[in-house]
Short mmCIF file of all heavy atoms in Angstrom, two decimals:
data_model
loop_
_atom_site.label_atom_id
_atom_site.label_comp_id
_atom_site.label_asym_id
_atom_site.label_seq_id
_atom_site.Cartn_x
_atom_site.Cartn_y
_atom_site.Cartn_z
N VAL A 4 88.65 53.10 -57.76
CA VAL A 4 89.15 52.65 -59.06
C VAL A 4 90.29 51.67 -58.80
O VAL A 4 91.25 51.99 -58.11
CB VAL A 4 89.63 53.85 -59.91
CG1 VAL A 4 90.25 53.36 -61.20
CG2 VAL A 4 88.49 54.79 -60.17
N GLU A 5 90.16 50.49 -59.37
CA GLU A 5 91.18 49.47 -59.18
C GLU A 5 92.03 49.37 -60.44
O GLU A 5 91.50 49.25 -61.54
CB GLU A 5 90.55 48.12 -58.89
CG GLU A 5 91.55 47.06 -58.57
CD GLU A 5 90.88 45.75 -58.20
OE1 GLU A 5 89.74 45.77 -57.75
OE2 GLU A 5 91.52 44.71 -58.39
N THR A 6 93.33 49.44 -60.26
CA THR A 6 94.27 49.30 -61.36
C THR A 6 95.10 48.05 -61.14
O THR A 6 95.62 47.84 -60.06
CB THR A 6 95.19 50.54 -61.44
OG1 THR A 6 94.40 51.69 -61.65
CG2 THR A 6 96.19 50.40 -62.58
N ILE A 7 95.18 47.24 -62.17
CA ILE A 7 95.99 46.02 -62.11
C ILE A 7 97.11 46.17 -63.13
O ILE A 7 96.88 46.51 -64.28
CB ILE A 7 95.14 44.78 -62.45
CG1 ILE A 7 93.99 44.64 -61.46
CG2 ILE A 7 96.00 43.53 -62.48
CD1 ILE A 7 92.99 43.58 -61.84
N VAL A 8 98.33 45.91 -62.69
CA VAL A 8 99.49 45.98 -63.58
C VAL A 8 100.11 44.58 -63.67
O VAL A 8 100.49 44.00 -62.64
CB VAL A 8 100.54 46.99 -63.09
CG1 VAL A 8 101.75 47.01 -64.00
CG2 VAL A 8 99.92 48.38 -62.98
N LEU A 9 100.17 44.04 -64.87
CA LEU A 9 100.76 42.73 -65.12
C LEU A 9 102.11 42.92 -65.81
O LEU A 9 102.21 43.63 -66.80
CB LEU A 9 99.83 41.89 -65.99
CG LEU A 9 98.41 41.70 -65.46
CD1 LEU A 9 97.55 41.04 -66.51
CD2 LEU A 9 98.42 40.92 -64.17
N ARG A 10 103.12 42.27 -65.28
CA ARG A 10 104.47 42.39 -65.84
C ARG A 10 104.94 41.01 -66.31
O ARG A 10 104.54 39.99 -65.74
CB ARG A 10 105.43 42.93 -64.80
CG ARG A 10 105.05 44.29 -64.27
CD ARG A 10 106.13 44.89 -63.39
NE ARG A 10 105.72 46.03 -62.60
CZ ARG A 10 105.26 47.18 -63.03
NH1 ARG A 10 105.11 47.36 -64.31
NH2 ARG A 10 104.95 48.16 -62.22
N PRO A 11 105.84 40.96 -67.31
CA PRO A 11 106.35 39.66 -67.76
C PRO A 11 107.24 39.03 -66.68
O PRO A 11 107.90 39.74 -65.92
CB PRO A 11 107.16 40.00 -69.01
CG PRO A 11 107.46 41.44 -68.91
CD PRO A 11 106.37 42.07 -68.10
N SER A 12 107.25 37.73 -66.65
CA SER A 12 108.08 36.99 -65.70
C SER A 12 109.56 37.17 -66.05
O SER A 12 109.96 36.84 -67.18
CB SER A 12 107.70 35.52 -65.73
OG SER A 12 108.68 34.75 -65.08
N PRO A 13 110.37 37.65 -65.12
CA PRO A 13 111.81 37.81 -65.43
C PRO A 13 112.49 36.47 -65.73
O PRO A 13 113.36 36.40 -66.59
CB PRO A 13 112.39 38.43 -64.16
CG PRO A 13 111.25 39.00 -63.43
CD PRO A 13 110.05 38.20 -63.80
N LEU A 14 112.06 35.41 -65.05
CA LEU A 14 112.68 34.10 -65.27
C LEU A 14 112.37 33.58 -66.67
O LEU A 14 113.25 33.09 -67.38
CB LEU A 14 112.20 33.11 -64.21
CG LEU A 14 112.87 31.75 -64.22
CD1 LEU A 14 114.37 31.89 -63.99
CD2 LEU A 14 112.25 30.86 -63.17
N LYS A 15 111.12 33.70 -67.09
CA LYS A 15 110.74 33.25 -68.44
C LYS A 15 111.40 34.11 -69.51
O LYS A 15 111.81 33.61 -70.56
CB LYS A 15 109.23 33.27 -68.60
CG LYS A 15 108.54 32.20 -67.80
CD LYS A 15 107.04 32.27 -68.01
CE LYS A 15 106.33 31.22 -67.17
NZ LYS A 15 104.88 31.29 -67.33
N THR A 16 111.49 35.41 -69.25
CA THR A 16 112.12 36.31 -70.22
C THR A 16 113.60 36.01 -70.35
O THR A 16 114.15 36.00 -71.46
CB THR A 16 111.89 37.78 -69.82
OG1 THR A 16 110.48 38.01 -69.72
CG2 THR A 16 112.49 38.73 -70.81
N ALA A 17 114.27 35.74 -69.24
CA ALA A 17 115.69 35.38 -69.28
C ALA A 17 115.88 34.06 -70.01
O ALA A 17 116.83 33.89 -70.78
CB ALA A 17 116.26 35.31 -67.88
N GLY A 18 114.97 33.12 -69.80
CA GLY A 18 115.03 31.85 -70.51
C GLY A 18 114.88 32.03 -72.01
O GLY A 18 115.58 31.40 -72.80
N LEU A 19 113.96 32.91 -72.40
CA LEU A 19 113.77 33.20 -73.82
C LEU A 19 115.04 33.82 -74.41
O LEU A 19 115.46 33.46 -75.52
CB LEU A 19 112.59 34.15 -74.02
CG LEU A 19 112.30 34.59 -75.44
CD1 LEU A 19 111.90 33.41 -76.30
CD2 LEU A 19 111.21 35.66 -75.45
N ALA A 20 115.66 34.72 -73.67
CA ALA A 20 116.90 35.34 -74.16
C ALA A 20 117.99 34.29 -74.33
O ALA A 20 118.74 34.32 -75.32
CB ALA A 20 117.35 36.44 -73.19
N LEU A 21 118.07 33.35 -73.40
CA LEU A 21 119.09 32.31 -73.51
C LEU A 21 118.83 31.37 -74.68
O LEU A 21 119.77 30.88 -75.30
CB LEU A 21 119.17 31.52 -72.20
CG LEU A 21 119.77 32.29 -71.02
CD1 LEU A 21 119.71 31.45 -69.76
CD2 LEU A 21 121.19 32.73 -71.31
N VAL A 22 117.56 31.14 -75.00
CA VAL A 22 117.22 30.31 -76.16
C VAL A 22 117.75 30.95 -77.44
O VAL A 22 118.21 30.25 -78.35
CB VAL A 22 115.69 30.08 -76.23
CG1 VAL A 22 115.27 29.52 -77.58
CG2 VAL A 22 115.25 29.15 -75.11
N PHE A 23 117.73 32.27 -77.51
CA PHE A 23 118.26 32.96 -78.69
C PHE A 23 119.78 32.86 -78.78
O PHE A 23 120.34 33.01 -79.87
CB PHE A 23 117.84 34.44 -78.68
CG PHE A 23 116.45 34.68 -79.20
CD1 PHE A 23 115.44 35.08 -78.35
CD2 PHE A 23 116.17 34.52 -80.54
CE1 PHE A 23 114.17 35.30 -78.82
CE2 PHE A 23 114.89 34.74 -81.02
CZ PHE A 23 113.88 35.13 -80.16
N LEU A 24 120.45 32.62 -77.67
CA LEU A 24 121.91 32.54 -77.71
C LEU A 24 122.42 31.26 -78.36
O LEU A 24 123.52 31.24 -78.89
CB LEU A 24 122.48 32.66 -76.29
CG LEU A 24 122.61 34.06 -75.75
CD1 LEU A 24 123.24 34.04 -74.36
CD2 LEU A 24 123.41 34.95 -76.67
N VAL A 25 121.63 30.18 -78.34
CA VAL A 25 122.07 28.92 -78.94
C VAL A 25 122.31 29.07 -80.43
O VAL A 25 123.40 28.72 -80.92
CB VAL A 25 121.06 27.79 -78.62
CG1 VAL A 25 121.42 26.52 -79.38
CG2 VAL A 25 121.00 27.54 -77.12
N PRO A 26 121.36 29.62 -81.22
CA PRO A 26 121.66 29.80 -82.65
C PRO A 26 122.78 30.81 -82.90
O PRO A 26 123.49 30.70 -83.91
CB PRO A 26 120.34 30.32 -83.23
CG PRO A 26 119.29 29.95 -82.24
CD PRO A 26 119.97 29.92 -80.92
N VAL A 27 122.96 31.78 -82.00
CA VAL A 27 124.08 32.72 -82.15
C VAL A 27 125.40 31.95 -82.04
O VAL A 27 126.32 32.15 -82.84
CB VAL A 27 124.00 33.86 -81.11
CG1 VAL A 27 125.28 34.68 -81.11
CG2 VAL A 27 122.80 34.75 -81.38
N ALA A 28 125.47 31.04 -81.06
CA ALA A 28 126.69 30.23 -80.90
C ALA A 28 126.91 29.34 -82.11
O ALA A 28 128.06 29.17 -82.57
CB ALA A 28 126.58 29.39 -79.63
N VAL A 29 125.84 28.78 -82.67
CA VAL A 29 125.96 27.97 -83.89
C VAL A 29 126.48 28.83 -85.03
O VAL A 29 127.35 28.41 -85.81
CB VAL A 29 124.60 27.33 -84.25
CG1 VAL A 29 124.64 26.70 -85.63
CG2 VAL A 29 124.20 26.30 -83.20
N GLY A 30 125.98 30.06 -85.14
CA GLY A 30 126.46 30.96 -86.18
C GLY A 30 127.93 31.28 -86.04
O GLY A 30 128.66 31.35 -87.04
N VAL A 31 128.39 31.44 -84.81
CA VAL A 31 129.82 31.71 -84.58
C VAL A 31 130.65 30.51 -85.00
O VAL A 31 131.72 30.65 -85.61
CB VAL A 31 130.06 32.08 -83.10
CG1 VAL A 31 131.54 32.11 -82.78
CG2 VAL A 31 129.41 33.42 -82.78
#
Side-chain angles (χ1 to χ4, degrees):
V4 175
E5 185 176 335
T6 300
I7 300 171
V8 178
L9 304 172
R10 300 188 194 300
S12 165
L14 186 60
K15 289 180 182 179
T16 302
L19 177 65
L21 290 176
V22 166
F23 278 110
L24 278 182
V25 173
V27 170
V29 169
V31 170

